Amino acid sequence: MSQNIDLVIKSEFVDSYKDGYPLLSKESILNLDKLKTQGQILNLVDAKKKFIAQAYFGIQNKGYGWLLSLREDEKIDSSFFLYKFNEALKYREKFYADKSTTAFRMFNAEGDGIGGLSIDCFDGFYLITWYSEGIYTFKSEILKALKLSLNYKGIYEKKRFDTKGTYLDDADDFVCGVKASEPLIVKENDVNFAIYLDEGAMVGVFLDQREVRKTLRDKYAKGKTVLNTFSYTGAFSVFAALGGAKKTISVDLAKRSLPKTKEQFSINDIDVSMQDIIVEDVFNYFKYALRKKLLFDLVVLDPPSFARSKKHTFSASKDYVKLLKEAIQITSKNGVIVASTNASNFSMMTFRGFIDKAFKELKGRFKVQESFSLPQDFRVNPKFKEGNYLKVVFIKKLT
Ligand code: SAH
């Protein structure tokens, strides 16, 4: 084994690393020229060469790597990873025991002690996401540990290396074990989802919205007309329909959303002909709905944090107020807007501020019914609050 490299940390950052802050920021490093190849194990030290923590070098848009251990003598090898995985499994015993949900996150990056690495479980198949070339250099140790800790049917991987976190399209995302059927049918609170583990960046469902979908189905959907915007594979529409919605309207720009949404309805025995699936820019649809004076009882807003279409650029931090104002105008009195964002660059408080502002500008009144952040399997590091990116608010429109 090569010697760890000493990386000198600027004095103003030393205390927060000692206290467990996990993200190695570029600004905190004094001798950047020491960083040569991603995957290097680093000994973070102070100006007097006193040990602070071990970290690895891996470039993401967030930073230059992640802290792994506050102990100098801890070896970063397959036993290190095995320990972390076993801890992660213990933390999720409830999920493994629950027969009504077979898809959940088994390992959530820095929340489980290793930034840049997440692992999702889909009915016994596991999907590893590597967020940097740095963490990918540990692939053989990580696979060895994973095979020891899990009963798995098959393992898949997604590489999201470049600094924007976008997916690198490899010919094959399959790693080992047996291949999953396509689609692979998993369950979430007794609802079916069709999952494709080897078909590009996204597999068909965002697991972090599990509690929101359940709440929508169990408490809000009955008898309602539901507009689901940025609908992707229609997960919210399926839950609304199963909760007794009168009708659902799903709107997404991507052509694939039409067959994908049809598929999600049909594997849940919902009559697709009763549901509308519209391939269109949401902002055009809002204009159309306003012109036709359409009103919806329930409107779901779940935009990407950043998106560019032919006519519009949408950035959650800049444009969410505008999006809310469009939605408010086509929501019936006493109707509910489910406002969601996965943008990590603003807080729940700021998000609540956007809601205030949108209603104020339209001279309307509202009441917050309930709100959500990440579910338990998306474990958050208490020293890294920005890791809790999900913000969802159920808003009742009063006037
Ligand atoms: N709400 C979905 C996830 C949304 S992912 C779910 O719960 O599964 C974001 C989606 O927004 C993508 O499917 C993308 O195609 C769509 N999208 C991005 N910009 C859009 C726009 N201007 N109009 C309509 N859809 C858009």
Side-chain angles (χ1 to χ4, degrees), residues 215-226 239-246 298:
T215 303
L216 190 75
R217 178 190 65 186
D218 297 350
K219 290 164 66 179
Y220 290 89
K222 197 158 194 230
K224 299 296 191 307
T225 304
V226 180
F239 271 72
L242 291 171
K246 193 155 72 184
L298 197 62

Side-chain angles (χ1 to χ4, degrees), residues 173-346:
D173 288 342
F174 175 70
V175 179
C176 63
V178 297
K179 287 201 175 181
S181 57
E182 298 202 14
L184 171 68
I185 306 295
V186 301
K187 270 197 295 185
E188 179 185 284
N189 292 306
D190 288 317
V191 177
N192 292 325
F193 275 130
I195 301 294
Y196 294 82
L197 291 175
D198 197 1
E199 205 185 65
M202 302 191 287
V203 300
V205 67
F206 292 97
L207 297 176
D208 53 4
Q209 297 275 15
R210 180 186 312 112
E211 287 169 2
V212 181
R213 285 188 283 267
K214 184 177 191 305
T215 303
L216 190 75
R217 178 190 65 186
D218 297 350
K219 290 164 66 179
Y220 290 89
K222 197 158 194 230
K224 299 296 191 307
T225 304
V226 180
L227 174 65
N228 179 12
T229 65
F230 306 95
S231 55
Y232 182 43
T233 57
F236 285 120
S237 309
V238 168
F239 271 72
L242 291 171
K246 193 155 72 184
K247 186 182 178 64
T248 69
I249 302 98
S250 306
V251 183
D252 196 293
L253 190 62
K255 287 203 180 65
R256 58 158 195 248
S257 68
L258 178 63
K260 293 275 182 199
T261 305
K262 277 189 180 160
E263 178 180 40
Q264 301 295 1
F265 278 123
S266 61
I267 62 168
N268 285 291
D269 298 323
I270 300 163
D271 185 357
V272 182
S273 66
M274 301 297 290
Q275 316 297 333
D276 284 350
I277 306 167
I278 301 169
V279 176
E280 200 186 351
D281 192 314
V282 162
F283 296 97
N284 289 342
Y285 186 80
F286 281 140
K287 280 200 201 93
Y288 161 82
L290 202 59
R291 205 169 56 233
K292 294 276 180 189
K293 298 197 166 55
L294 303 183
L295 284 178
F296 303 92
D297 305 314
L298 197 62
V299 178
V300 179
L301 301 175
D302 183 27
S305 48
F306 188 83
R308 189 172 283 143
S309 64
K310 279 193 199 106
K311 286 205 190 124
H312 302 98
T313 301
F314 176 84
S315 139
S317 59
K318 291 202 194 88
D319 303 318
Y320 214 109
V321 173
K322 190 172 146 253
L323 178 65
L324 276 163
K325 283 169 75 177
E326 307 253 27
I328 292 165
Q329 295 176 69
I330 57 168
T331 303
S332 54
K333 187 166 183 279
N334 292 321
V336 171
I337 297 171
V338 182
S340 169
T341 180
N342 59 6
S344 53
N345 59 343
F346 56 85

Side-chain angles (χ1 to χ4, degrees), residues 21 23-27 38 56-66 110 115-116 130-134 160-167 305-306 342-345 384 386:
Y21 184 79
L23 178 64
L24 178 63
S25 69
K26 187 180 176 189
E27 307 78 66
Q38 293 199 51
Y56 76 88
F57 175 33
I59 298 181
Q60 288 178 236
N61 59 348
K62 295 178 183 172
Y64 263 33
W66 296 92
E110 75 283 352
W130 313 97
Y131 287 92
S132 73
E133 274 180 65
R160 301 181 64 158
F161 286 175
D162 81 351
T163 45
K164 286 194 206 84
T166 43
Y167 167 76
S305 48
F306 188 83
N342 59 6
S344 53
N345 59 343
F384 192 68
E386 52 273 51

